[in-house]
Amino acid sequence: MSRIGKQLISLPKEIEFRNLENNISIKGPKGQIMKILPKSIEIEELEPGVLSVKRSEESRKSRQLHGLFRSLLSNMVVGVTQGFTKTLDMKGVGYKAALDKGTLVLNVGFSHPVRIPAPTGIKFEIETNTIIRVIGVDKEVVGLVAQKIRSIRPPEPYKGKGIMYRGEVIQRKAGKSSK
């Protein structure tokens, strides 16, 4: 049995949990998230506020999904109570970020500014003009949006310029050497 999948999930009091056939919905103070469960995974409420993830069959696929959906459910609970944040740092001469009515505007060395509209459920914050925060309730969407922003100007190994995650270490390379 999956070590992660057999762990119980405790729900705080302010969370509303619904399980309608294969659709689960979790609503909390930060927002609401919905997911579709595969047929081989079942969620049962052992007692009020305690959830357990079970699998109905012992196939390889259902064993793989068991731990995955327990983790996804746990992330949903954390997302609607606390939310998720990814922080991106921009390094480079003239690199700056700004907000324009919910749209992120990046000046990262191109001839034009790059505009990124905020998807549903995502909010951008600019701490300084080189630090961007992506905030939301769904961990997957927050990570995808942060990755999309990073892919506009990924960090390069020679000068260390680009957009990188907070705490990311870029392995530096030596440039050309003269003889």
Short mmCIF file of all heavy atoms in Angstrom, two decimals, residues 4-10 46 50-53 70:
data_model
loop_
_atom_site.label_atom_id
_atom_site.label_comp_id
_atom_site.label_asym_id
_atom_site.label_seq_id
_atom_site.Cartn_x
_atom_site.Cartn_y
_atom_site.Cartn_z
N ILE A 4 2.17 7.30 1.10
CA ILE A 4 1.53 8.62 1.05
C ILE A 4 0.01 8.46 0.98
O ILE A 4 -0.73 9.17 1.64
CB ILE A 4 2.05 9.42 -0.15
CG1 ILE A 4 3.52 9.73 0.06
CG2 ILE A 4 1.25 10.70 -0.35
CD1 ILE A 4 4.19 10.39 -1.11
N GLY A 5 -0.45 7.52 0.18
CA GLY A 5 -1.88 7.35 -0.04
C GLY A 5 -2.66 6.95 1.19
O GLY A 5 -3.84 7.27 1.32
N LYS A 6 -2.03 6.24 2.12
CA LYS A 6 -2.78 5.78 3.30
C LYS A 6 -2.83 6.82 4.42
O LYS A 6 -3.53 6.62 5.40
CB LYS A 6 -2.22 4.47 3.81
CG LYS A 6 -0.84 4.53 4.39
CD LYS A 6 -0.39 3.15 4.81
CE LYS A 6 1.05 3.18 5.31
NZ LYS A 6 1.52 1.85 5.65
N GLN A 7 -2.14 7.94 4.28
CA GLN A 7 -2.20 8.99 5.30
C GLN A 7 -3.57 9.68 5.25
O GLN A 7 -4.13 9.89 4.18
CB GLN A 7 -1.10 10.02 5.08
CG GLN A 7 0.29 9.46 5.28
CD GLN A 7 1.35 10.49 4.94
OE1 GLN A 7 1.07 11.63 4.57
NE2 GLN A 7 2.61 10.08 5.06
N LEU A 8 -4.06 10.04 6.40
CA LEU A 8 -5.36 10.72 6.50
C LEU A 8 -5.18 12.22 6.27
O LEU A 8 -4.11 12.78 6.52
CB LEU A 8 -5.98 10.47 7.86
CG LEU A 8 -6.27 9.01 8.21
CD1 LEU A 8 -6.82 8.92 9.62
CD2 LEU A 8 -7.23 8.40 7.22
N ILE A 9 -6.25 12.86 5.82
CA ILE A 9 -6.25 14.31 5.58
C ILE A 9 -7.25 14.93 6.54
O ILE A 9 -8.42 14.57 6.54
CB ILE A 9 -6.63 14.64 4.13
CG1 ILE A 9 -5.64 14.00 3.18
CG2 ILE A 9 -6.70 16.14 3.93
CD1 ILE A 9 -6.07 14.05 1.75
N SER A 10 -6.76 15.84 7.38
CA SER A 10 -7.68 16.52 8.31
C SER A 10 -8.09 17.86 7.71
O SER A 10 -7.26 18.61 7.19
CB SER A 10 -7.02 16.71 9.67
OG SER A 10 -5.87 17.50 9.54
N LEU A 46 -14.14 9.52 7.07
CA LEU A 46 -14.17 8.59 8.21
C LEU A 46 -14.96 9.17 9.37
O LEU A 46 -15.76 8.48 9.99
CB LEU A 46 -12.74 8.26 8.65
CG LEU A 46 -11.86 7.57 7.61
CD1 LEU A 46 -10.46 7.37 8.15
CD2 LEU A 46 -12.47 6.25 7.19
N VAL A 50 -12.21 14.45 8.68
CA VAL A 50 -11.10 13.54 8.39
C VAL A 50 -11.42 12.75 7.13
O VAL A 50 -12.43 12.06 7.06
CB VAL A 50 -10.83 12.58 9.57
CG1 VAL A 50 -9.71 11.61 9.22
CG2 VAL A 50 -10.49 13.35 10.82
N LEU A 51 -10.55 12.88 6.12
CA LEU A 51 -10.76 12.20 4.84
C LEU A 51 -9.73 11.10 4.64
O LEU A 51 -8.59 11.20 5.10
CB LEU A 51 -10.63 13.19 3.68
CG LEU A 51 -11.60 14.35 3.64
CD1 LEU A 51 -11.28 15.24 2.46
CD2 LEU A 51 -13.02 13.86 3.57
N SER A 52 -10.15 10.05 3.94
CA SER A 52 -9.27 8.95 3.59
C SER A 52 -9.41 8.66 2.09
O SER A 52 -10.51 8.67 1.55
CB SER A 52 -9.64 7.70 4.40
OG SER A 52 -8.90 6.60 3.97
N VAL A 53 -8.28 8.42 1.44
CA VAL A 53 -8.28 8.11 0.00
C VAL A 53 -8.07 6.60 -0.14
O VAL A 53 -7.11 6.05 0.40
CB VAL A 53 -7.17 8.88 -0.73
CG1 VAL A 53 -7.15 8.54 -2.21
CG2 VAL A 53 -7.34 10.37 -0.54
N ARG A 70 -4.05 11.56 -3.28
CA ARG A 70 -4.00 11.96 -1.87
C ARG A 70 -3.21 13.27 -1.77
O ARG A 70 -3.60 14.19 -1.06
CB ARG A 70 -3.35 10.86 -1.04
CG ARG A 70 -3.48 11.08 0.46
CD ARG A 70 -2.26 11.78 0.98
NE ARG A 70 -2.41 12.18 2.36
CZ ARG A 70 -1.81 13.22 2.86
NH1 ARG A 70 -1.07 14.00 2.14
NH2 ARG A 70 -1.96 13.52 4.13
#
